[in-house]
Amino acid sequence: MKKSISMKLIEVYLIFALVVITYSSAIPKPGEDKKNRVHEQKLSDMEHEHEGEHNPDYDHEAFLGKDEAKTFDQLTPDESKDRLGIIVGKIDKDGDGQVTEQELKDWIQYVQKRYIVTDTDRMWKDHSIEGDKLSWSAYKQRTYGSDDDPNEEDSSTFSYKDMIQRDERRWKTADKDNDGFLTKEEFADFLHPEEAEHMRDIVVKETMEDIDKDKDGFISLEEYIADIYDEEDDDPDTIPDEDTNLQDGTPDWVKSEKDQFINHRDKNMDGKLDEEEVKAWVIPEDYDHSASEALHLVNACDSNKDGKLSRDEILEHYDLFVGSQATDFGEALTRHDEF
């Protein structure tokens, strides 16, 4: 049974996070068309809300962060609540026993920024730094196992040519002073281009390249749907769920996505998405994902409708915050960094 687009994007998002963490110790496989799918990295790009539904996986990752969202499914409900209670104490900055929407927003932003910092630190230490900068050749050597010219057919990196060219383009964009090296700050932009204003064109280009299979410079409706739904993957022996159309077997969420494409994404109604339309899709203007998520959590858990959350209200809805996908809070609980 196929998942909604929210679940699909969350899965790719988490897979990408694993690739980011491990790619420096193993050469990536050629032909991985979703390598560095940056438009699925950013929380605000995951389209966690769809037709009035909210994706619980999104809530867990936004609230906890990627590094912590790995082992919580091994905890009992009581253990989950105990650990969540400690986190609530960290979110409630003024210590009044109430978590406001602003405090939740600040926490979500903190969690996301902390991940970027720790991920960059981890990756930075894994490379050969020259002074306080990283060279393109050193990065390529560590990532692909060689500094050979990938355009030469007898090169050991020839099979990774497209991936190397894509990395190099992103590298050059991150290199603000055009000196061929990246500082640690620039390296963070390279790893997480979705968070840097000057890298946003790269986010759009890579999204286009991943989905535009016929390479005509546009994303057709067929390509858009094919990127999230493969009819052949459906198990014919599986009993359709309530959101599956029994007449043609197409899940209702797929039909909803077609409607999204036709009536919302395709602004000029020419049947395809150009770069500007893709940009509006993956990098929407005036959208604050942390504010939206904070508002959602308050609305979902505010039993007495006072506009804020008590510790009891949060623990009562612990599955919304952490559920079965929440995390091992170990690192979050033992950290002494300021929030």
Side-chain angles (χ1 to χ4, degrees), residues 2 225 228-229 250-259:
K2 274 298 185 181
I225 295 300
I228 57 174
Y229 176 66
T250 302
D252 286 346
W253 69 264
V254 175
K255 295 184 177 182
S256 295
E257 282 307 314
K258 290 181 179 179
D259 179 72

Side-chain angles (χ1 to χ4, degrees), residues 225-273:
I225 295 300
D227 188 61
I228 57 174
Y229 176 66
D230 184 353
E231 188 175 358
E232 294 181 359
D233 284 347
D234 281 338
D235 184 352
D237 296 326
T238 301
I239 299 176
D241 61 19
E242 61 184 11
D243 68 347
T244 300
N245 186 294
L246 296 178
Q247 291 184 338
D248 61 12
T250 302
D252 286 346
W253 69 264
V254 175
K255 295 184 177 182
S256 295
E257 282 307 314
K258 290 181 179 179
D259 179 72
Q260 283 287 316
F261 181 98
I262 294 170
N263 297 311
H264 300 285
R265 310 246 186 267
D266 183 14
K267 305 294 186 184
N268 60 10
M269 304 184 70
D270 64 353
K272 54 191 177 183
L273 303 185

Side-chain angles (χ1 to χ4, degrees), residues 60-273:
H60 304 158
E61 185 174 307
F63 183 73
L64 300 165
K66 276 191 286 290
D67 277 348
E68 285 76 25
K70 296 175 182 176
T71 61
F72 200 89
D73 55 350
Q74 300 175 9
L75 300 178
T76 66
D78 285 342
E79 290 173 325
S80 300
K81 292 178 182 179
D82 287 344
R83 296 185 181 217
L84 177 58
I86 298 174
I87 292 293
V88 171
K90 299 180 73 173
I91 299 173
D92 180 18
K93 295 295 289 183
D94 59 13
D96 66 351
Q98 300 288 327
V99 172
T100 65
E101 190 177 321
Q102 183 62 48
E103 286 174 327
L104 266 177
K105 176 182 174 180
D106 291 344
W107 170 260
I108 291 168
Q109 291 177 337
Y110 161 74
V111 166
Q112 186 174 13
K113 290 177 181 177
R114 185 184 64 194
Y115 169 73
I116 292 174
V117 170
T118 56
D119 182 54
T120 301
D121 284 343
R122 178 171 52 230
M123 298 297 293
W124 187 254
K125 294 173 182 177
D126 199 41
H127 288 79
S128 299
I129 308 303
E130 302 174 27
D132 60 352
K133 293 186 177 184
L134 176 63
S135 69
W136 165 247
S137 61
Y139 168 82
K140 189 166 63 170
Q141 173 74 41
R142 184 69 182 89
T143 305
Y144 296 99
S146 174
D147 191 30
D148 293 347
D149 182 353
N151 295 305
E152 299 292 336
E153 290 192 18
D154 60 350
S155 167
S156 62
T157 58
F158 181 74
S159 58
Y160 308 110
K161 179 176 65 174
D162 291 343
M163 297 168 70
I164 292 173
Q165 290 176 346
R166 179 160 160 154
D167 272 356
E168 186 173 16
R169 180 183 62 191
R170 192 194 286 194
W171 181 281
K172 290 179 178 178
T173 305
D175 182 14
K176 290 181 178 180
D177 57 9
N178 298 312
D179 66 351
F181 294 81
L182 295 188
T183 63
K184 193 173 184 179
E185 180 182 348
E186 290 171 334
F187 190 55
D189 293 341
F190 171 77
L191 292 177
H192 301 277
E194 75 284 355
E195 295 299 325
E197 184 72 30
H198 69 288
M199 300 291 291
R200 290 190 170 184
D201 285 345
I202 287 293
V203 175
V204 175
K205 286 182 183 299
E206 293 186 7
T207 301
M208 293 284 292
E209 291 170 352
D210 288 335
I211 304 177
D212 177 22
K213 299 304 182 183
D214 63 10
K215 306 305 177 187
D216 67 347
F218 300 92
I219 295 176
S220 66
L221 174 60
E222 291 73 18
E223 290 168 333
Y224 176 84
I225 295 300
D227 188 61
I228 57 174
Y229 176 66
D230 184 353
E231 188 175 358
E232 294 181 359
D233 284 347
D234 281 338
D235 184 352
D237 296 326
T238 301
I239 299 176
D241 61 19
E242 61 184 11
D243 68 347
T244 300
N245 186 294
L246 296 178
Q247 291 184 338
D248 61 12
T250 302
D252 286 346
W253 69 264
V254 175
K255 295 184 177 182
S256 295
E257 282 307 314
K258 290 181 179 179
D259 179 72
Q260 283 287 316
F261 181 98
I262 294 170
N263 297 311
H264 300 285
R265 310 246 186 267
D266 183 14
K267 305 294 186 184
N268 60 10
M269 304 184 70
D270 64 353
K272 54 191 177 183
L273 303 185

